[in-house]
Amino acid sequence: MRGIWGGLSLAYPFLIYYFSDDFSMSCPIAPLLYPVMMSFGVAAFFGGSLLFPPPLIERIARLSEPNLGPKGVAYTRKVTMAWFIFSLLNA
């Protein structure tokens, strides 16, 4: 999990600049970038969980079913991949 947050911390300077009034006033497309950046953020979260197991959906599934079998692990990995791809396409 540390690797995911480390990667996202690189985006903090951009996000601070993006939400500052200077950038919002000087860039007319700034409000249009917000949903795109949110989708990329969600994609980074899901993609990062694929790189640093266990995947996010598996973590959620294990809250209700701690003894998840191999089929369940494979399925949750595919669902995490689907959310990652959806978030990228949504951006």
Side-chain angles (χ1 to χ4, degrees):
M1 191 72 170
R2 183 176 182 207
I4 295 170
W5 293 112
L8 290 179
S9 65
L10 296 175
Y12 292 151
F14 172 76
L15 292 173
I16 290 170
Y17 180 66
Y18 173 74
F19 288 112
S20 70
D21 288 336
D22 183 40
F23 180 72
S24 297
M25 297 301 172
S26 66
C27 184
I29 65 165
L32 301 175
L33 292 176
Y34 178 75
V36 175
M37 294 305 295
M38 291 302 294
S39 290
F40 278 135
V42 170
F45 196 66
F46 280 108
S49 75
L50 288 169
L51 293 175
F52 302 101
L56 182 62
I57 301 298
E58 181 181 341
R59 293 176 193 176
I60 294 170
R62 286 192 185 273
L63 292 175
S64 64
E65 184 62 42
N67 298 323
L68 198 60
K71 286 184 180 180
V73 171
Y75 176 74
T76 56
R77 184 167 184 79
K78 289 178 186 176
V79 172
T80 303
M81 180 64 78
W83 275 104
F84 171 68
I85 292 169
F86 171 77
S87 298
L88 283 180
L89 293 176
N90 192 39

mmCIF file of all heavy atoms in Angstrom, residues 25-52:
data_model
loop_
_atom_site.group_PDB
_atom_site.id
_atom_site.type_symbol
_atom_site.label_atom_id
_atom_site.label_comp_id
_atom_site.label_asym_id
_atom_site.label_seq_id
_atom_site.Cartn_x
_atom_site.Cartn_y
_atom_site.Cartn_z
ATOM 1 N N MET A 25 -8.308 30.708 -13.004
ATOM 2 C CA MET A 25 -8.676 31.919 -13.735
ATOM 3 C C MET A 25 -7.930 32.042 -15.060
ATOM 4 O O MET A 25 -8.452 32.589 -16.010
ATOM 5 C CB MET A 25 -8.406 33.162 -12.873
ATOM 6 C CG MET A 25 -9.230 33.219 -11.627
ATOM 7 S SD MET A 25 -10.977 33.204 -12.038
ATOM 8 C CE MET A 25 -11.679 33.048 -10.435
ATOM 9 N N SER A 26 -6.710 31.531 -15.119
ATOM 10 C CA SER A 26 -5.923 31.691 -16.343
ATOM 11 C C SER A 26 -6.183 30.590 -17.360
ATOM 12 O O SER A 26 -5.838 30.737 -18.515
ATOM 13 C CB SER A 26 -4.431 31.730 -16.001
ATOM 14 O OG SER A 26 -4.029 30.478 -15.486
ATOM 15 N N CYS A 27 -6.786 29.505 -16.949
ATOM 16 C CA CYS A 27 -7.012 28.375 -17.837
ATOM 17 C C CYS A 27 -8.521 28.133 -17.961
ATOM 18 O O CYS A 27 -9.148 27.646 -17.015
ATOM 19 C CB CYS A 27 -6.312 27.134 -17.300
ATOM 20 S SG CYS A 27 -6.446 25.721 -18.397
ATOM 21 N N PRO A 28 -9.098 28.430 -19.129
ATOM 22 C CA PRO A 28 -10.555 28.294 -19.252
ATOM 23 C C PRO A 28 -11.049 26.846 -19.208
ATOM 24 O O PRO A 28 -12.219 26.604 -18.949
ATOM 25 C CB PRO A 28 -10.863 28.929 -20.602
ATOM 26 C CG PRO A 28 -9.585 28.910 -21.349
ATOM 27 C CD PRO A 28 -8.488 28.962 -20.334
ATOM 28 N N ILE A 29 -10.168 25.880 -19.451
ATOM 29 C CA ILE A 29 -10.616 24.486 -19.421
ATOM 30 C C ILE A 29 -10.402 23.826 -18.057
ATOM 31 O O ILE A 29 -10.667 22.642 -17.894
ATOM 32 C CB ILE A 29 -9.928 23.646 -20.513
ATOM 33 C CG1 ILE A 29 -8.427 23.537 -20.268
ATOM 34 C CG2 ILE A 29 -10.237 24.171 -21.891
ATOM 35 C CD1 ILE A 29 -7.765 22.462 -21.073
ATOM 36 N N ALA A 30 -9.936 24.592 -17.074
ATOM 37 C CA ALA A 30 -9.651 24.030 -15.749
ATOM 38 C C ALA A 30 -10.845 23.297 -15.147
ATOM 39 O O ALA A 30 -10.683 22.184 -14.645
ATOM 40 C CB ALA A 30 -9.152 25.121 -14.810
ATOM 41 N N PRO A 31 -12.058 23.847 -15.201
ATOM 42 C CA PRO A 31 -13.189 23.096 -14.624
ATOM 43 C C PRO A 31 -13.470 21.787 -15.366
ATOM 44 O O PRO A 31 -13.999 20.850 -14.796
ATOM 45 C CB PRO A 31 -14.375 24.056 -14.767
ATOM 46 C CG PRO A 31 -13.775 25.400 -14.925
ATOM 47 C CD PRO A 31 -12.455 25.197 -15.596
ATOM 48 N N LEU A 32 -13.109 21.724 -16.638
ATOM 49 C CA LEU A 32 -13.337 20.504 -17.410
ATOM 50 C C LEU A 32 -12.323 19.416 -17.067
ATOM 51 O O LEU A 32 -12.566 18.233 -17.323
ATOM 52 C CB LEU A 32 -13.273 20.805 -18.908
ATOM 53 C CG LEU A 32 -14.283 21.837 -19.415
ATOM 54 C CD1 LEU A 32 -14.037 22.134 -20.887
ATOM 55 C CD2 LEU A 32 -15.697 21.358 -19.192
ATOM 56 N N LEU A 33 -11.197 19.807 -16.506
ATOM 57 C CA LEU A 33 -10.169 18.832 -16.164
ATOM 58 C C LEU A 33 -10.462 18.082 -14.871
ATOM 59 O O LEU A 33 -9.901 17.012 -14.647
ATOM 60 C CB LEU A 33 -8.807 19.531 -16.041
ATOM 61 C CG LEU A 33 -8.203 20.078 -17.328
ATOM 62 C CD1 LEU A 33 -6.919 20.813 -17.017
ATOM 63 C CD2 LEU A 33 -7.959 18.964 -18.319
ATOM 64 N N TYR A 34 -11.338 18.615 -14.048
ATOM 65 C CA TYR A 34 -11.608 17.990 -12.754
ATOM 66 C C TYR A 34 -12.101 16.540 -12.886
ATOM 67 O O TYR A 34 -11.540 15.646 -12.256
ATOM 68 C CB TYR A 34 -12.595 18.837 -11.954
ATOM 69 C CG TYR A 34 -12.954 18.228 -10.628
ATOM 70 C CD1 TYR A 34 -12.048 18.265 -9.571
ATOM 71 C CD2 TYR A 34 -14.168 17.579 -10.434
ATOM 72 C CE1 TYR A 34 -12.348 17.691 -8.353
ATOM 73 C CE2 TYR A 34 -14.480 17.005 -9.225
ATOM 74 C CZ TYR A 34 -13.572 17.065 -8.191
ATOM 75 O OH TYR A 34 -13.871 16.495 -6.998
ATOM 76 N N PRO A 35 -13.132 16.266 -13.712
ATOM 77 C CA PRO A 35 -13.579 14.866 -13.821
ATOM 78 C C PRO A 35 -12.505 13.951 -14.414
ATOM 79 O O PRO A 35 -12.399 12.779 -14.032
ATOM 80 C CB PRO A 35 -14.804 14.924 -14.735
ATOM 81 C CG PRO A 35 -15.115 16.338 -14.945
ATOM 82 C CD PRO A 35 -13.979 17.158 -14.459
ATOM 83 N N VAL A 36 -11.711 14.493 -15.312
ATOM 84 C CA VAL A 36 -10.637 13.704 -15.916
ATOM 85 C C VAL A 36 -9.601 13.338 -14.856
ATOM 86 O O VAL A 36 -9.170 12.181 -14.759
ATOM 87 C CB VAL A 36 -9.981 14.482 -17.077
ATOM 88 C CG1 VAL A 36 -8.780 13.733 -17.623
ATOM 89 C CG2 VAL A 36 -10.994 14.747 -18.178
ATOM 90 N N MET A 37 -9.222 14.306 -14.037
ATOM 91 C CA MET A 37 -8.237 14.045 -12.991
ATOM 92 C C MET A 37 -8.793 13.070 -11.946
ATOM 93 O O MET A 37 -8.058 12.219 -11.439
ATOM 94 C CB MET A 37 -7.816 15.355 -12.311
ATOM 95 C CG MET A 37 -7.061 16.296 -13.234
ATOM 96 S SD MET A 37 -5.623 15.554 -14.007
ATOM 97 C CE MET A 37 -4.604 15.247 -12.589
ATOM 98 N N MET A 38 -10.077 13.169 -11.647
ATOM 99 C CA MET A 38 -10.679 12.231 -10.695
ATOM 100 C C MET A 38 -10.656 10.811 -11.260
ATOM 101 O O MET A 38 -10.347 9.853 -10.549
ATOM 102 C CB MET A 38 -12.110 12.651 -10.358
ATOM 103 C CG MET A 38 -12.189 13.922 -9.548
ATOM 104 S SD MET A 38 -11.295 13.839 -7.980
ATOM 105 C CE MET A 38 -12.241 12.609 -7.115
ATOM 106 N N SER A 39 -10.976 10.663 -12.542
ATOM 107 C CA SER A 39 -10.961 9.336 -13.159
ATOM 108 C C SER A 39 -9.552 8.765 -13.189
ATOM 109 O O SER A 39 -9.348 7.571 -12.945
ATOM 110 C CB SER A 39 -11.534 9.397 -14.573
ATOM 111 O OG SER A 39 -12.914 9.641 -14.530
ATOM 112 N N PHE A 40 -8.574 9.618 -13.508
ATOM 113 C CA PHE A 40 -7.186 9.147 -13.483
ATOM 114 C C PHE A 40 -6.766 8.769 -12.061
ATOM 115 O O PHE A 40 -6.006 7.818 -11.867
ATOM 116 C CB PHE A 40 -6.226 10.204 -14.045
ATOM 117 C CG PHE A 40 -6.149 10.204 -15.548
ATOM 118 C CD1 PHE A 40 -6.193 11.393 -16.238
ATOM 119 C CD2 PHE A 40 -6.031 9.029 -16.261
ATOM 120 C CE1 PHE A 40 -6.118 11.404 -17.622
ATOM 121 C CE2 PHE A 40 -5.955 9.021 -17.641
ATOM 122 C CZ PHE A 40 -6.008 10.221 -18.324
ATOM 123 N N GLY A 41 -7.251 9.504 -11.070
ATOM 124 C CA GLY A 41 -6.934 9.165 -9.684
ATOM 125 C C GLY A 41 -7.501 7.814 -9.279
ATOM 126 O O GLY A 41 -6.824 7.006 -8.646
ATOM 127 N N VAL A 42 -8.750 7.555 -9.670
ATOM 128 C CA VAL A 42 -9.369 6.259 -9.375
ATOM 129 C C VAL A 42 -8.622 5.151 -10.112
ATOM 130 O O VAL A 42 -8.359 4.081 -9.554
ATOM 131 C CB VAL A 42 -10.870 6.277 -9.737
ATOM 132 C CG1 VAL A 42 -11.473 4.888 -9.669
ATOM 133 C CG2 VAL A 42 -11.617 7.238 -8.837
ATOM 134 N N ALA A 43 -8.272 5.411 -11.381
ATOM 135 C CA ALA A 43 -7.517 4.422 -12.157
ATOM 136 C C ALA A 43 -6.156 4.151 -11.512
ATOM 137 O O ALA A 43 -5.713 2.997 -11.452
ATOM 138 C CB ALA A 43 -7.335 4.900 -13.596
ATOM 139 N N ALA A 44 -5.513 5.189 -11.016
ATOM 140 C CA ALA A 44 -4.218 4.996 -10.350
ATOM 141 C C ALA A 44 -4.372 4.160 -9.087
ATOM 142 O O ALA A 44 -3.517 3.314 -8.783
ATOM 143 C CB ALA A 44 -3.600 6.354 -10.014
ATOM 144 N N PHE A 45 -5.461 4.375 -8.384
ATOM 145 C CA PHE A 45 -5.704 3.616 -7.157
ATOM 146 C C PHE A 45 -5.920 2.132 -7.468
ATOM 147 O O PHE A 45 -5.305 1.264 -6.853
ATOM 148 C CB PHE A 45 -6.902 4.208 -6.418
ATOM 149 C CG PHE A 45 -7.015 3.768 -5.002
ATOM 150 C CD1 PHE A 45 -6.051 4.131 -4.073
ATOM 151 C CD2 PHE A 45 -8.077 3.002 -4.588
ATOM 152 C CE1 PHE A 45 -6.151 3.735 -2.751
ATOM 153 C CE2 PHE A 45 -8.185 2.593 -3.277
ATOM 154 C CZ PHE A 45 -7.223 2.961 -2.362
ATOM 155 N N PHE A 46 -6.782 1.843 -8.454
ATOM 156 C CA PHE A 46 -7.028 0.449 -8.834
ATOM 157 C C PHE A 46 -5.792 -0.176 -9.476
ATOM 158 O O PHE A 46 -5.441 -1.316 -9.186
ATOM 159 C CB PHE A 46 -8.220 0.341 -9.787
ATOM 160 C CG PHE A 46 -9.547 0.389 -9.093
ATOM 161 C CD1 PHE A 46 -10.363 1.496 -9.195
ATOM 162 C CD2 PHE A 46 -9.989 -0.684 -8.340
ATOM 163 C CE1 PHE A 46 -11.585 1.545 -8.564
ATOM 164 C CE2 PHE A 46 -11.214 -0.648 -7.696
ATOM 165 C CZ PHE A 46 -12.015 0.470 -7.807
ATOM 166 N N GLY A 47 -5.128 0.575 -10.360
ATOM 167 C CA GLY A 47 -3.927 0.050 -11.015
ATOM 168 C C GLY A 47 -2.804 -0.190 -10.026
ATOM 169 O O GLY A 47 -2.084 -1.186 -10.117
ATOM 170 N N GLY A 48 -2.653 0.702 -9.071
ATOM 171 C CA GLY A 48 -1.627 0.520 -8.051
ATOM 172 C C GLY A 48 -1.876 -0.708 -7.207
ATOM 173 O O GLY A 48 -0.950 -1.420 -6.816
ATOM 174 N N SER A 49 -3.165 -0.990 -6.952
ATOM 175 C CA SER A 49 -3.469 -2.184 -6.161
ATOM 176 C C SER A 49 -3.208 -3.457 -6.961
ATOM 177 O O SER A 49 -2.991 -4.519 -6.382
ATOM 178 C CB SER A 49 -4.916 -2.152 -5.652
ATOM 179 O OG SER A 49 -5.835 -2.444 -6.672
ATOM 180 N N LEU A 50 -3.227 -3.359 -8.285
ATOM 181 C CA LEU A 50 -2.862 -4.515 -9.103
ATOM 182 C C LEU A 50 -1.354 -4.748 -9.079
ATOM 183 O O LEU A 50 -0.897 -5.885 -9.126
ATOM 184 C CB LEU A 50 -3.338 -4.326 -10.544
ATOM 185 C CG LEU A 50 -4.842 -4.437 -10.765
ATOM 186 C CD1 LEU A 50 -5.199 -3.966 -12.162
ATOM 187 C CD2 LEU A 50 -5.321 -5.849 -10.518
ATOM 188 N N LEU A 51 -0.593 -3.669 -8.992
ATOM 189 C CA LEU A 51 0.869 -3.790 -8.955
ATOM 190 C C LEU A 51 1.374 -4.227 -7.588
ATOM 191 O O LEU A 51 2.409 -4.897 -7.489
ATOM 192 C CB LEU A 51 1.518 -2.459 -9.331
ATOM 193 C CG LEU A 51 1.327 -2.009 -10.774
ATOM 194 C CD1 LEU A 51 1.912 -0.610 -10.959
ATOM 195 C CD2 LEU A 51 1.954 -2.988 -11.733
ATOM 196 N N PHE A 52 0.668 -3.803 -6.546
ATOM 197 C CA PHE A 52 1.064 -4.129 -5.179
ATOM 198 C C PHE A 52 -0.075 -4.896 -4.512
ATOM 199 O O PHE A 52 -0.921 -4.307 -3.865
ATOM 200 C CB PHE A 52 1.383 -2.852 -4.391
ATOM 201 C CG PHE A 52 2.460 -2.022 -5.011
ATOM 202 C CD1 PHE A 52 2.144 -0.899 -5.753
ATOM 203 C CD2 PHE A 52 3.785 -2.380 -4.868
ATOM 204 C CE1 PHE A 52 3.132 -0.134 -6.333
ATOM 205 C CE2 PHE A 52 4.782 -1.620 -5.445
ATOM 206 C CZ PHE A 52 4.459 -0.498 -6.187
#
